[in-house]
Amino acid sequence: MPRTTSTSKRKRFLPGLQEPLRSILLILVITPPSVISIGALSIGLLFAAESLGRNLTFEQSLNGVLAVLMACFFLPLAHAGTYRWFWHIEKRRQAGHFLSGASMPDAFSEPTEPPPAVPISPGQRALYALLYLAAIGLLLFVYLPLGHQEVIQGFIARFSSGRASAGSLAALLTAWLPLLGGMAVVMLALEGDMKKVRSGLLEPSETLRLQGRVEWLGAFVTAFAMTSLFCFFFGAMIARYLG
């Protein structure tokens, strides 16, 4: 029996509506409770800090809540979606869809199926857990204190010549450098694995395991860069308009 794609699942929600209208309705349904929840958490954090004798502004509280939500919840969600997309592209590549010079589809522009069940050793699971702990810790260290946001923005303002260049520099520092640097490390670390995969001499299960590790780590680096960019964006908006 064929698996249900993400597109068919979305079509079961509010059937009969066109995709743009369905997306707008989903946003309208999800956004208000999300905003209310984030505001309530921020106010609750203010009261908790006051009860502990610590002075905390609403801006600091809001930035802290958003940073924790992005690092602890958005990062895994973005990783899962990116991992699924990477496997989608890999399946198309293996099927020869790009041999005729066809261009790579835009990210997340096509319906995808769940990734294959990849065998993972206990050592790999431990490594993945450590990577998540390190990534979450780094994101919180950089973006949780609102003062760090102000330092980053001060650096960007000093070395940019206008709004456009400031935006480019911000994207470079918070997204492109983590993405390119992380991908370079992954490629260097897994070059031996990729040579084994390309040789075609491995058992199918071992090929799947090695390929799965490549896709997992590449998706993880991509999701980390996305999360870093969003953390910076939210903090910058708070510092600029509420500070």
Side-chain angles (χ1 to χ4, degrees), residues 116-131:
V118 178
I120 303 176
S121 66
Q124 276 185 256
R125 292 185 185 276
L127 174 63
Y128 292 169
L130 288 175
L131 285 175

Side-chain angles (χ1 to χ4, degrees), residues 9-92:
K9 289 180 181 179
R10 288 197 299 267
K11 287 183 178 179
R12 288 203 300 267
F13 180 82
L14 300 175
L17 291 179
Q18 295 181 352
E19 186 67 26
L21 180 57
R22 189 184 299 111
S23 300
I24 292 173
L25 290 177
L26 282 172
I27 293 173
L28 292 176
V29 169
I30 294 173
T31 300
S34 299
V35 173
I36 293 173
S37 300
I38 291 172
L41 287 172
S42 302
I43 294 173
L45 181 58
L46 282 176
F47 284 116
E50 184 177 355
S51 66
L52 296 174
R54 300 192 60 180
N55 293 325
L56 197 67
T57 65
F58 178 74
E59 294 81 6
Q60 293 171 326
S61 177
L62 178 60
N63 181 72
V65 168
L66 287 173
V68 170
L69 290 176
M70 295 300 294
C72 297
F73 294 98
F74 179 80
L75 174 61
L77 290 175
H79 183 206
T82 308
Y83 179 68
R84 182 173 177 139
W85 176 256
F86 277 22
W87 266 113
H88 172 72
I89 295 299
E90 176 60 22
K91 290 176 182 177
R92 289 194 59 183

